[in-house]
Amino acid sequence: MRHIPAVRRRRLGDELRRLRRSAGLTSGETARLLGWHQSKVSRIETGVSGVKDTDLAGLLDALRIADPRLRTLLGALAGVPGTGPGWWKAYDGVIPPGYRDFISLESQARVVRTLETSVVPGLLQTPGYARAVTQAALEGLPAATVDSLVEVRLARQEALRAPSPLELNAVLDEAVLLREVGGRGVMREQLRRLVELARLPHVCVQVLPFAAGGYVGLTGPFVIFSFPGITDLDLVVLDHLTNSLYLERKEELEAYGAAFRTMQARALSPEDSLDLIAGIGDGA
């Protein structure tokens, strides 16, 4: 397990090496084109060191990478200031760096797969539910800070309404539907909203009922990001109270991918899940 800066460097380096080889260049030839020492190219490609925004731009130009989406994603991995939509930068004084990293990667993802065992995923939360979750998880925050964090949560949901929307696959423990976060009224509204969003063609929600018994995801929630235009770049995120951990090794990615597929197979179908959610919502 590595924190996100190391994950970014390693993944960025792997992809830059692949792009260099696709361009038919050696590391020495690339270095000469840029006026660098070969060791600088090697350090970037092995993830030993990061890369400045100007250096990354020059490197991508040398490799003749013109695709703006690919350049944006590589910039996001490099932590380049101003990369991507960047709306979250207005909240720099409110959200911690780890959360900014998470949002940056989420904004560039093509598919998100998530298991939630306690709360509705942030991308599907109503304002009232988001506020209740924030206040419960981060006690004692000033009202203005809570307001800003709720705004951030809701702004993230724009990814589901984009012209090329994010594909979301969510598996929810039945406990998520029964925990009255924010009270009965807030929960009723949240469940109805969940049904509404789950009917979108790019959103799939499945419920793991209590009757399914124990399952591999009982150890805790996780998120899997998959990105467009990049080979083998899935990332697994384990969310904790004070930080997030990112998994990147092939065997880890395969294990979590297999676990998610197993839980989807054991969960109710999307149609039966919607019926269950709607039924609980009507009785809330």
Side-chain angles (χ1 to χ4, degrees):
M1 291 188 291
R2 293 183 174 91
H3 292 285
I4 185 62
V7 173
R8 280 182 164 175
R9 290 196 303 270
R10 180 183 174 90
R11 291 301 193 180
L12 177 66
D14 287 346
E15 185 59 20
L16 290 174
R17 184 187 306 109
R18 185 189 70 80
L19 292 171
R20 173 179 58 74
R21 289 173 176 169
S22 296
L25 295 172
T26 66
S27 58
E29 290 168 339
T30 302
R32 285 193 292 274
L33 285 173
L34 294 164
W36 297 353
H37 290 292
Q38 183 176 353
S39 61
K40 180 173 180 177
V41 175
S42 296
R43 288 196 304 272
I44 292 172
E45 290 187 350
T46 56
V48 172
S49 63
V51 57
K52 297 178 181 179
D53 53 351
T54 52
D55 286 347
L56 179 62
L59 181 55
L60 295 179
D61 288 343
L63 298 179
R64 299 182 180 179
I65 305 303
D67 182 350
R69 187 177 180 88
L70 180 55
R71 291 179 72 106
T72 296
L73 178 54
L74 293 172
L77 289 175
V80 171
T83 296
W87 56 263
W88 54 89
K89 297 184 187 301
Y91 298 92
D92 276 354
V94 177
I95 58 178
Y99 191 21
R100 291 199 302 271
D101 284 327
F102 182 93
I103 295 171
S104 174
L105 292 171
E106 182 181 72
S107 72
Q108 300 298 327
R110 175 180 58 85
V111 179
V112 169
R113 288 168 284 170
T114 181
L115 165 72
E116 282 292 354
T117 58
S118 300
V119 297
V120 173
L123 289 169
L124 303 175
Q125 292 178 5
T126 64
Y129 188 94
R131 182 175 300 279
V133 168
T134 301
Q135 290 173 329
L138 302 169
E139 292 182 341
L141 287 181
T145 302
V146 172
D147 290 343
S148 294
L149 290 174
V150 172
E151 288 176 12
V152 170
R153 185 70 54 88
L154 299 180
R156 286 172 50 200
Q157 298 175 6
E158 290 299 315
L160 297 177
R161 294 184 281 269
S164 297
L166 175 70
E167 180 183 330
L168 175 64
N169 295 284
V171 173
L172 311 182
D173 192 297
E174 187 175 351
V176 171
L177 311 178
L178 299 176
R179 188 181 304 279
E180 288 191 356
V181 176
R184 182 165 295 183
V186 168
M187 199 64 202
R188 183 187 301 114
E189 180 185 19
Q190 176 60 72
L191 292 174
R192 291 175 179 172
R193 178 64 171 159
L194 191 55
V195 170
E196 176 187 338
L197 291 173
R199 287 182 173 139
L200 295 174
H202 52 281
V203 176
C204 177
V205 176
Q206 291 180 258
V207 177
L208 263 167
F210 292 141
Y215 60 93
V216 66
L218 281 175
T219 53
F222 61 85
V223 178
I224 305 174
F225 288 135
S226 298
F227 301 92
I230 295 259
T231 303
D232 190 26
L233 190 63
D234 285 5
L235 289 175
V236 175
V237 186
L238 306 180
D239 204 17
H240 297 276
L241 182 62
T242 56
N243 69 343
S244 295
L245 294 175
Y246 291 71
L247 310 182
E248 60 157 334
R249 291 189 302 174
K250 182 178 180 181
E251 57 268 32
E252 293 169 333
L253 299 176
E254 290 177 348
Y256 276 86
F260 193 82
R261 290 190 295 273
T262 297
M263 288 184 290
Q264 283 183 306
R266 295 189 61 186
L268 299 176
S269 69
E271 295 76 18
D272 289 343
S273 296
L274 280 179
D275 289 342
L276 177 61
I277 297 168
I280 296 174
D282 290 341

